[in-house]
Coordinates of all heavy atoms in Angstrom, one line a residue:
M443 N -40.6 14.7 17.3 CA -41.2 13.6 17.8 C -42.3 13.9 18.9 O -43.5 13.3 18.8 CB -40.4 12.4 18.1 CG -39.5 11.9 17.0 SD -38.5 10.5 17.4 CE -37.6 10.1 16.0
V444 N -41.9 14.6 19.8 CA -42.8 15.1 20.9 C -43.9 15.9 20.3 O -45.1 15.7 20.6 CB -42.0 15.9 21.9 CG1 -43.0 16.4 23.0 CG2 -40.8 15.1 22.5
F445 N -43.6 16.8 19.3 CA -44.7 17.6 18.7 C -45.7 16.7 17.9 O -46.9 16.9 17.8 CB -44.1 18.7 17.8 CG -45.1 19.4 17.1 CD1 -45.7 20.4 17.7 CD2 -45.3 19.2 15.7 CE1 -46.6 21.3 17.1 CE2 -46.3 20.0 15.0 CZ -46.9 21.0 15.7
L446 N -45.2 15.6 17.3 CA -46.0 14.7 16.6 C -46.6 13.6 17.3 O -47.1 12.5 16.8 CB -45.2 14.2 15.3 CG -44.9 15.2 14.3 CD1 -43.9 14.6 13.2 CD2 -45.9 15.8 13.5
N447 N -46.5 13.7 18.7 CA -47.0 12.7 19.6 C -46.5 11.2 19.4 O -47.3 10.3 19.5 CB -48.6 12.8 19.4 CG -49.2 14.0 19.9 OD1 -48.8 14.7 20.7 ND2 -50.2 14.4 19.1
Y448 N -45.2 11.2 19.2 CA -44.5 9.8 19.2 C -44.6 9.3 20.6 O -44.2 10.0 21.6 CB -43.1 10.0 18.7 CG -43.0 9.8 17.1 CD1 -43.4 10.8 16.4 CD2 -42.3 8.8 16.6 CE1 -43.4 10.9 15.1 CE2 -42.3 8.7 15.2 CZ -42.7 9.7 14.4 OH -42.7 9.7 13.2
S449 N -45.0 8.1 20.9 CA -44.9 7.5 22.2 C -43.7 6.9 22.6 O -43.2 6.8 23.8 CB -46.0 6.4 22.2 OG -45.7 5.4 21.3
K450 N -42.8 6.5 21.6 CA -41.4 6.0 21.9 C -40.5 6.2 20.8 O -41.1 6.6 19.7 CB -41.4 4.6 22.2 CG -42.1 3.6 21.1 CD -42.1 2.2 21.4 CE -42.6 1.3 20.3 NZ -42.7 -0.1 20.6
L451 N -39.3 5.9 20.9 CA -38.2 6.4 19.8 C -38.4 5.2 18.8 O -38.4 4.0 19.1 CB -36.9 6.4 20.5 CG -35.7 6.9 19.6 CD1 -36.0 8.4 19.4 CD2 -34.4 6.6 20.3
P452 N -38.5 5.5 17.6 CA -38.5 4.4 16.5 C -37.2 3.5 16.5 O -36.2 4.0 17.1 CB -38.5 5.2 15.2 CG -39.0 6.6 15.6 CD -38.6 6.7 16.9
W453 N -37.4 2.3 16.2 CA -36.3 1.3 16.4 C -35.0 1.7 15.5 O -33.9 1.4 15.9 CB -36.7 -0.1 15.9 CG -37.1 -0.2 14.4 CD1 -38.3 -0.1 13.9 CD2 -36.2 -0.4 13.4 NE1 -38.3 -0.1 12.4 CE2 -37.0 -0.5 12.1 CE3 -34.9 -0.7 13.3 CZ2 -36.4 -0.7 10.9 CZ3 -34.3 -1.0 12.0 CH2 -35.1 -1.0 10.9
Y454 N -35.2 2.4 14.4 CA -34.0 2.7 13.6 C -33.3 3.9 14.1 O -32.3 4.3 13.7 CB -34.5 2.9 12.3 CG -35.7 3.7 12.0 CD1 -35.7 5.2 12.0 CD2 -37.1 3.1 11.7 CE1 -36.8 5.9 11.9 CE2 -38.1 3.9 11.6 CZ -38.0 5.3 11.6 OH -39.1 6.0 11.4
W455 N -33.8 4.5 15.3 CA -33.0 5.6 15.9 C -32.2 5.0 17.0 O -31.4 5.8 17.6 CB -34.0 6.6 16.4 CG -34.5 7.6 15.5 CD1 -35.3 7.6 14.5 CD2 -34.0 8.9 15.4 NE1 -35.5 8.6 13.7 CE2 -34.7 9.7 14.3 CE3 -33.0 9.8 16.1 CZ2 -34.4 11.0 14.0 CZ3 -32.8 11.2 15.7 CH2 -33.5 11.7 14.7
H456 N -32.4 3.9 17.4 CA -31.6 3.2 18.6 C -30.1 3.1 18.0 O -29.8 2.7 17.0 CB -32.0 2.0 19.0 CG -33.5 2.1 19.7 ND1 -33.5 2.7 21.0 CD2 -34.6 1.8 19.3 CE1 -34.9 2.6 21.4 NE2 -35.5 2.1 20.3
G457 N -29.2 3.4 18.9 CA -27.7 3.4 18.7 C -27.2 4.6 18.3 O -25.9 4.9 18.3
F458 N -27.9 5.6 17.8 CA -27.3 6.8 17.3 C -27.0 7.9 18.5 O -26.5 9.0 18.1 CB -28.4 7.5 16.3 CG -28.3 7.0 15.0 CD1 -29.2 5.9 14.6 CD2 -27.5 7.4 14.0 CE1 -29.3 5.5 13.3 CE2 -27.5 6.8 12.7 CZ -28.4 5.9 12.4
D459 N -27.2 7.5 19.7 CA -26.5 8.2 20.7 C -25.1 7.9 20.9 O -24.4 8.6 21.8 CB -27.3 8.0 22.0 CG -27.3 6.5 22.4 OD1 -27.2 5.6 21.4 OD2 -27.4 6.1 23.6
M460 N -24.5 7.0 20.2 CA -23.2 6.7 20.2 C -22.5 7.1 18.9 O -23.0 6.8 17.7 CB -23.0 5.1 20.4 CG -23.5 4.6 21.7 SD -23.3 2.9 21.9 CE -24.7 2.3 20.8
F461 N -21.4 7.8 19.1 CA -20.7 8.4 17.9 C -20.2 7.3 16.9 O -20.3 7.5 15.7 CB -19.6 9.2 18.3 CG -18.9 9.9 17.1 CD1 -19.4 11.0 16.4 CD2 -17.7 9.5 16.5 CE1 -18.7 11.6 15.3 CE2 -17.1 10.0 15.5 CZ -17.6 11.1 14.8
W462 N -19.7 6.2 17.4 CA -19.1 5.2 16.6 C -20.1 4.5 15.8 O -19.9 4.1 14.6 CB -18.2 4.1 17.5 CG -19.2 3.3 18.3 CD1 -19.6 3.5 19.7 CD2 -19.9 2.1 18.0 NE1 -20.4 2.6 20.1 CE2 -20.6 1.6 19.1 CE3 -20.1 1.3 16.8 CZ2 -21.3 0.5 19.1 CZ3 -20.7 0.2 16.8 CH2 -21.4 -0.3 17.9
F463 N -21.4 4.4 16.4 CA -22.4 3.7 15.7 C -22.9 4.7 14.5 O -23.1 4.3 13.3 CB -23.5 3.5 16.5 CG -24.7 2.7 15.9 CD1 -24.7 1.4 15.7 CD2 -25.8 3.5 15.5 CE1 -25.8 0.8 15.1 CE2 -27.0 2.8 14.9 CZ -26.9 1.5 14.7
A464 N -23.0 6.0 14.8 CA -23.4 6.9 13.7 C -22.3 6.9 12.7 O -22.7 7.1 11.5 CB -23.5 8.3 14.3
A465 N -21.0 6.9 13.0 CA -20.1 7.0 12.0 C -20.1 5.7 11.1 O -19.9 5.7 9.8 CB -18.7 7.1 12.6
L466 N -20.4 4.6 11.7 CA -20.6 3.3 10.8 C -21.7 3.3 9.9 O -21.6 3.0 8.8 CB -20.7 2.2 11.9 CG -21.0 0.8 11.3 CD1 -19.7 0.5 10.5 CD2 -21.3 -0.3 12.3
M467 N -22.8 4.1 10.4 CA -23.9 4.2 9.6 C -23.8 5.2 8.4 O -24.3 5.0 7.4 CB -25.3 4.7 10.5 CG -25.7 3.7 11.5 SD -26.3 2.1 10.6 CE -25.0 1.0 11.0
V468 N -22.9 6.1 8.7 CA -22.6 7.2 7.6 C -22.0 6.4 6.4 O -22.3 6.8 5.2 CB -21.6 8.1 8.1 CG1 -20.9 8.9 7.0 CG2 -22.2 9.1 9.1
L469 N -21.2 5.3 6.6 CA -20.7 4.5 5.5 C -21.6 3.4 5.1 O -21.7 3.0 4.0 CB -19.3 3.9 6.0 CG -18.2 4.9 6.3 CD1 -17.0 4.1 6.9 CD2 -17.7 5.7 5.0
L470 N -22.3 2.7 6.1 CA -23.1 1.5 5.8 C -24.2 1.8 5.0 O -24.6 1.1 4.1 CB -23.4 0.8 7.1 CG -24.0 -0.6 7.0 CD1 -23.2 -1.6 6.2 CD2 -24.3 -1.1 8.3
V471 N -25.0 2.8 5.5 CA -26.4 3.1 4.7 C -26.2 3.5 3.3 O -26.8 2.9 2.5 CB -27.1 4.1 5.6 CG1 -28.3 4.5 4.9 CG2 -27.5 3.6 7.1
P472 N -25.4 4.5 3.0 CA -25.2 4.8 1.6 C -24.5 3.7 0.8 O -24.9 3.4 -0.4 CB -24.3 6.0 1.6 CG -24.4 6.6 2.9 CD -24.6 5.6 3.9
G473 N -23.6 3.1 1.4 CA -22.9 2.0 0.8 C -23.8 0.7 0.5 O -23.8 0.2 -0.6
L474 N -24.7 0.5 1.5 CA -25.7 -0.6 1.2 C -26.7 -0.3 0.2 O -27.0 -1.2 -0.7 CB -26.4 -1.0 2.5 CG -27.3 -2.2 2.6 CD1 -26.6 -3.5 2.3 CD2 -28.0 -2.3 3.9
L475 N -27.2 0.9 0.2 CA -28.1 1.3 -0.9 C -27.5 1.2 -2.2 O -28.1 0.7 -3.3 CB -28.6 2.7 -0.6 CG -29.5 3.2 -1.7 CD1 -30.8 2.4 -1.9 CD2 -29.9 4.7 -1.3
A476 N -26.2 1.8 -2.4 CA -25.5 1.7 -3.7 C -25.2 0.3 -4.0 O -25.3 0.0 -5.3 CB -24.2 2.6 -3.4
F477 N -25.0 -0.6 -3.1 CA -24.7 -1.9 -3.5 C -25.8 -2.6 -4.1 O -25.9 -3.3 -5.0 CB -24.1 -2.7 -2.3 CG -23.8 -4.2 -2.6 CD1 -22.5 -4.5 -3.1 CD2 -24.7 -5.1 -2.4 CE1 -22.2 -5.8 -3.3 CE2 -24.4 -6.5 -2.5 CZ -23.1 -6.8 -3.1
C478 N -27.1 -2.4 -3.3 CA -28.2 -3.1 -3.8 C -28.7 -2.5 -5.2 O -29.0 -3.3 -6.0 CB -29.4 -2.9 -2.8 SG -29.0 -3.7 -1.2
F479 N -28.7 -1.2 -5.2 CA -29.2 -0.6 -6.4 C -28.1 -1.0 -7.7 O -28.5 -1.3 -8.7 CB -29.0 1.0 -6.3 CG -29.4 1.7 -7.6 CD1 -30.7 1.9 -7.9 CD2 -28.3 2.2 -8.3 CE1 -31.0 2.7 -9.0 CE2 -28.7 2.9 -9.5 CZ -30.0 3.1 -9.8
G480 N -26.8 -0.9 -7.4 CA -25.9 -1.2 -8.4 C -26.0 -2.7 -8.8 O -25.9 -3.1 -10.1
W481 N -26.1 -3.6 -7.9 CA -26.3 -5.0 -8.2 C -27.5 -5.3 -9.2 O -27.3 -6.0 -10.2 CB -26.4 -5.8 -6.9 CG -26.3 -7.3 -7.2 CD1 -25.2 -8.1 -7.3 CD2 -27.4 -8.2 -7.3 NE1 -25.5 -9.4 -7.4 CE2 -26.9 -9.4 -7.5 CE3 -28.8 -8.1 -7.2 CZ2 -27.7 -10.6 -7.6 CZ3 -29.5 -9.2 -7.4 CH2 -29.1 -10.5 -7.6
L482 N -28.6 -4.6 -8.9 CA -29.7 -4.8 -9.7 C -29.5 -4.1 -11.1 O -29.9 -4.8 -12.2 CB -30.9 -4.3 -9.1 CG -31.4 -5.0 -7.8 CD1 -32.5 -4.3 -7.1 CD2 -31.9 -6.4 -8.0
A483 N -28.9 -2.9 -11.1 CA -28.9 -2.3 -12.3 C -27.7 -2.8 -13.2 O -28.0 -3.1 -14.4 CB -28.5 -0.8 -12.1
F484 N -26.5 -3.0 -12.7 CA -25.4 -3.5 -13.5 C -25.6 -5.1 -14.0 O -25.2 -5.4 -15.0 CB -24.0 -3.4 -12.8 CG -23.8 -1.9 -12.3 CD1 -23.3 -1.8 -11.1 CD2 -24.2 -0.9 -13.2 CE1 -23.0 -0.3 -10.8 CE2 -24.0 0.4 -12.8 CZ -23.3 0.7 -11.6
R485 N -26.3 -5.8 -13.0 CA -26.6 -7.1 -13.5 C -27.5 -7.2 -14.5 O -27.5 -8.1 -15.5 CB -27.2 -7.9 -12.3 CG -27.6 -9.3 -12.5 CD -27.9 -10.0 -11.2 NE -28.2 -11.3 -11.3 CZ -29.6 -11.7 -11.4 NH1 -30.5 -10.8 -11.4 NH2 -29.8 -13.0 -11.7
S486 N -28.5 -6.2 -14.7 CA -29.4 -6.0 -15.9 C -28.8 -5.3 -17.0 O -29.4 -5.2 -18.0 CB -30.6 -5.5 -15.3 OG -31.2 -6.1 -14.4
R487 N -27.4 -5.0 -16.9 CA -26.7 -4.3 -18.0 C -27.5 -3.0 -18.4 O -27.6 -2.6 -19.5 CB -26.5 -5.1 -19.1 CG -25.6 -6.4 -18.9 CD -25.3 -7.0 -20.0 NE -24.5 -8.4 -19.7 CZ -23.9 -9.2 -20.6 NH1 -24.1 -9.0 -21.9 NH2 -23.2 -10.2 -20.1
V488 N -27.9 -2.3 -17.4 CA -28.5 -0.9 -17.6 C -27.3 0.0 -17.6 O -26.6 0.2 -16.6 CB -29.5 -0.5 -16.5 CG1 -30.1 0.9 -16.7 CG2 -30.5 -1.6 -16.4

Side-chain angles (χ1 to χ4, degrees):
M443 291 187 182
V444 179
F445 179 78
L446 296 174
N447 297 321
Y448 275 68
S449 59
K450 61 180 180 180
L451 194 70
W453 63 268
Y454 45 85
W455 275 77
H456 289 287
F458 279 95
D459 55 333
M460 298 175 289
F461 181 81
W462 69 267
F463 182 82
L466 179 63
M467 291 298 107
V468 164
L469 296 172
L470 186 60
V471 174
L474 184 59
L475 176 61
F477 181 85
C478 296
F479 176 87
W481 187 82
L482 293 172
F484 302 142
R485 182 171 174 268
S486 303
R487 297 190 181 180
V488 180

